[in-house]
Amino acid sequence: MGESEHLLTARFNRSLQVEARDERLSGDGGAVLLREAMERSGIVADLADWLEDPRDPDLITYTPADLLRTRLLLMGQGWRHGQDVDRLRHDPAFCVTATGHRGAETLDIALPSQSTVSRLDGILARPANNRRLSEALMALASRRLKASRKGRRKRRLAIDIDGLPIAVAGRQPGSAFNGHYKMRIYDPLIASVGATGDMLDACLRAGNAGSADGALAFIRDVVARAEQQLCQVGVIRIDAGFPGEELLSGLESDGTPYIARMKPNAALDRLSAPYRRRPAGRPPEEPREWCLDLSYQAGSWAQPRRIILVVTEQTDGDQPRAFYLVTSIAEEAKSAEEILQLYRERGTAEGHMGEVKAFLAPALSSSPRPKSQYAGAPVYRAVDPPTEIDAFARNEAVLKLNLIAYQLLHVARTAMEAATGTGVSLHRLQRAVLTTSARFVRSGRRLSMIIERRFADFWQAILAQLDRWSWAPPGA
């Protein structure tokens, strides 16, 4: 395999020497499993077919599918394409998984260069392609959920709408200093299914956007597509930053059920005061909690709405704590206690959103770059010059790519959970599966990837579960 290069003789053990050799080794053997998840879902092949590629076909070496696989595999394995792709161009695990070719010769097909991979962001920033990314993300979530349910849709599905503040370095177009987070950020909206951990769509917003800015149009689009692919009825869950007359009345006119937390105010506190008193007697060891239905009309609301008062007793003898929920779901359909239980399931959605930030750490760092092939990117402020429009659209495309990468990881994670019967975090998936050390051996037309036997049970469990699920044919 070539001469070795001596790097180190360890001082703590002179018998230990570190050498560098040109062997087919990789620390990212799990990329093979991610590629298998791509193949089962068919999403990368479909997305590549949907995209408008402005490049001259006669000058293309790497297809849109090659670029998408490269970008998503690097993200899923924890690498950043701008910093790492050139160093990893000949990594055998990435070489055999990123290409669309078959056979043992894939071991010699290098990844596209950093500049070539970066062109993908510009292609995806085109308005039609940006929309295709949203459709691909929803389709991937739909295919995973249907595969695990034998092709069946859910009757009702709670859809969580949240902001996801993403810190930026520098002055990327549309980013702004946010006093609440005390840093310069983008503040995108994310739609997810908290109960299952699936991401549905994203909309990039300026860092100083209000919580509800653009939320109604975003929610309407997400619900319409979700009710076509995922469920019969989508129920929206939102936190206290969202409820306003425009959003609530818009959802009501669409017939979209919602549950939202309310910010406390003096009028609500006066209305609920008689019901927030601590019952007489010694406080119990286990705090009591009770719910009550109220009717309330805020000054900006066109009509009264159903309010759920939730009161929790304090064991230290202090006055009970209270908060409020507003909902369009009728009392005869769900009791106050059932509304509270459904809303509290938002906690799982917030946990999955935290995984996106902690594990993938989306880097939205595209800067203005005046290139003609990106003309026509979406406008987020009509007064901005074209170069800033381009950079903002590229950053939105990168955000959606990160969510698609998360969704592919989620396919592998949920397969492992279903097979083992235990919960699996993305960090555990990374340690146990993704960063598997591997050696590649080519013999004639045969290519073997050798991993340590102690990790084989994880691989077998995931692959067996992927095979058991009922995947729809590609393109469906």
Side-chain angles (χ1 to χ4, degrees):
M1 297 298 294
E3 296 182 359
S4 63
E5 178 185 354
H6 178 77
L7 299 179
L8 171 70
T9 298
R11 292 188 179 185
F12 66 88
N13 184 346
R14 305 296 291 184
S15 297
L16 175 61
Q17 295 189 16
V18 180
E19 299 179 357
R21 297 182 182 177
D22 292 327
E23 296 198 20
R24 299 289 192 176
L25 304 176
S26 176
D28 289 285
V32 173
L33 276 179
L34 289 187
R35 175 63 190 272
E36 283 294 298
M38 289 182 189
E39 292 301 301
R40 299 298 202 284
S41 70
I43 199 61
V44 171
D46 286 345
L47 179 55
D49 289 340
W50 297 339
L51 293 179
E52 296 177 358
D53 188 351
R55 299 177 297 167
D56 186 338
D58 295 331
L59 303 178
I60 290 176
T61 301
Y62 296 95
T63 67
D66 293 333
L67 298 180
L68 284 166
R69 281 189 293 263
T70 300
R71 198 80 158 86
L72 293 170
L73 288 168
L74 288 170
M75 286 177 173
Q77 292 294 127
W79 299 98
R80 297 198 183 281
H81 86 280
Q83 300 169 340
D84 303 313
V85 67
D86 286 336
R87 184 178 295 275
L88 295 168
R89 287 195 70 190
H90 299 284
D91 182 286
F94 287 119
C95 288
V96 300
T97 55
T99 182
H101 295 282
R102 298 175 182 271
E105 67 273 9
T106 57
L107 203 58
D108 299 320
I109 300 177
L111 296 183
S113 67
Q114 185 273 328
S115 59
T116 302
V117 176
S118 292
R119 291 191 186 99
L120 177 66
D121 298 349
I123 294 171
L124 297 177
R126 298 166 67 89
N129 290 342
N130 191 300
R131 176 66 180 178
R132 291 302 192 183
L133 284 173
S134 291
E135 293 170 356
L137 185 55
M138 179 76 74
L140 183 52
S142 172
R143 292 174 190 184
R144 190 201 73 79
L145 287 169
K146 287 181 179 178
S148 63
R149 290 174 53 83
K150 301 184 186 299
R152 299 190 305 271
R153 293 193 304 163
K154 284 180 171 286
R155 192 176 72 83
R156 294 172 72 90
L157 191 67
I159 300 173
D160 294 285
I161 307 297
D162 292 280
L164 183 70
I166 298 176
V168 301
R171 294 183 175 272
Q172 276 68 39
S175 66
F177 181 83
N178 188 296
H180 178 73
Y181 297 105
K182 295 181 171 53
M183 57 185 176
R184 193 174 187 88
I185 65 166
Y186 283 121
D187 189 18
L189 286 175
I190 308 292
S192 66
V193 183
T196 64
D198 293 274
M199 299 294 154
L200 302 182
D201 201 1
C203 172
L204 191 62
R205 302 187 302 176
N208 55 3
S211 295
D213 286 358
L216 180 57
F218 177 69
I219 292 172
R220 279 175 163 164
D221 180 54
V222 168
V223 170
R225 289 185 288 123
E227 290 182 347
Q228 288 177 345
Q229 303 178 49
L230 292 169
C231 60
Q232 297 177 23
V233 178
V235 181
I236 295 299
R237 293 189 298 206
I238 47 181
D239 65 21
F242 288 90
E245 176 59 24
E246 180 185 4
L247 178 60
L248 299 185
S249 62
L251 294 177
E252 289 162 358
S253 66
D254 295 342
T256 300
Y258 64 80
I259 305 172
R261 185 154 178 164
M262 288 281 294
K263 291 181 179 179
N265 61 63
L268 267 176
D269 287 343
R270 286 194 299 271
L271 179 65
S272 64
Y275 313 107
R276 290 187 286 112
R277 299 192 181 104
R278 185 175 66 80
R282 183 190 297 273
E285 293 184 4
E286 184 70 24
R288 290 170 289 190
E289 183 177 79
W290 58 95
C291 302
L292 189 72
D293 268 292
L294 303 172
S295 179
Y296 169 74
Q297 182 174 357
S300 60
W301 290 0
Q303 60 182 351
R305 292 187 167 94
R306 182 188 182 191
I307 300 294
I308 309 295
L309 167 67
V310 183
V311 185
T312 304
E313 193 173 24
Q314 304 301 297
T315 56
D316 56 11
D318 289 347
Q319 286 298 313
R321 294 179 181 172
F323 66 90
Y324 309 94
L325 301 174
V326 58
T327 182
S328 62
I329 301 174
E331 187 173 355
E332 55 269 22
K334 280 191 180 293
S335 68
E337 289 76 14
E338 290 172 325
I339 294 291
L340 173 61
Q341 178 61 33
L342 182 57
Y343 184 80
R344 279 186 167 155
E345 292 173 2
R346 267 181 56 82
T348 57
E350 293 170 354
H352 292 301
M353 297 274 282
E355 281 193 317
V356 171
K357 288 190 68 172
F359 191 85
L360 290 171
L364 308 184
S365 57
S366 289
S367 298
R369 53 188 76 193
K371 294 184 178 181
S372 60
Q373 63 263 39
Y374 307 138
V379 177
Y380 71 97
R381 276 197 324 230
V383 298
D384 288 325
T387 53
E388 293 200 352
I389 295 170
D390 160 52
F392 189 85
R394 288 168 65 93
N395 278 325
E396 183 169 55
V398 171
L399 173 62
K400 292 179 181 181
L401 274 179
N402 272 273
L403 294 183
I404 292 174
Y406 165 88
Q407 195 63 30
L408 289 168
L409 291 168
H410 191 54
V411 169
R413 180 247 298 277
T414 51
M416 187 170 173
E417 288 178 334
T420 62
T422 60
V424 178
S425 68
L426 290 188
H427 285 286
R428 174 162 171 74
L429 179 72
Q430 181 185 48
R431 291 193 302 269
V433 176
L434 300 181
T435 54
T436 301
S437 297
R439 181 165 64 94
F440 288 77
V441 178
R442 181 166 55 188
S443 177
R445 296 183 179 181
R446 182 175 179 178
L447 180 62
S448 299
M449 186 181 84
I450 302 167
I451 66 172
E452 296 179 76
R453 190 180 298 276
R454 59 196 172 108
F455 294 115
D457 57 335
F458 292 125
W459 282 65
Q460 290 170 341
I462 292 173
L463 290 170
Q465 189 61 49
L466 290 176
D467 286 335
R468 279 193 290 269
W469 282 343
S470 303
W471 294 98

